[in-house]
Amino acid sequence: MTIQRIRVIMLGLETSHERDFVIDRPKGWGTYLLQRFHTPMELLIDGVPTTAEPGDCILYEPTCPQRYYGRGVGFRDDWMHIQGRDVVRIVRDFELP
């Protein structure tokens, strides 16, 4: 598989966030967001509170609501905002949920 149509818009590695830092984007960010968590996290997925553990990953679609935060102690994550039609192809070809 050749990947040619993905563009990294922004990225952060092992980014630390303070205890009271919350991401709340009811309409998404306008790009795909791929995250890998280094610390336990609380996420709201399809309106359902969900717990993520270190090593877990999530890929948000551009218009998917995003709400996540640490468990009262801040959090660390790797994150990448990406665009491109090959993102959909990767999700499909690798059967990512």
Side-chain angles (χ1 to χ4, degrees), residues 21-81:
F21 185 82
V22 175
I23 288 291
D24 189 9
R25 301 175 181 138
K27 296 181 181 181
W29 185 257
T31 63
Y32 289 91
L33 170 59
L34 176 62
Q35 279 184 289
R36 179 178 182 272
F37 305 115
H38 291 272
T39 57
M41 300 284 298
E42 299 295 329
L43 300 90
L44 197 60
I45 300 176
D46 295 328
V48 177
T50 305
T51 300
E53 298 298 332
D56 288 351
C57 298
I58 189 167
L59 176 65
Y60 290 99
E61 293 179 333
T63 59
C64 181
Q66 302 168 10
R67 180 166 173 82
Y68 54 89
Y69 48 92
R71 294 183 183 160
V73 294
F75 67 91
R76 274 184 315 131
D77 64 341
D78 300 328
W79 54 271
M80 182 181 343
H81 288 274

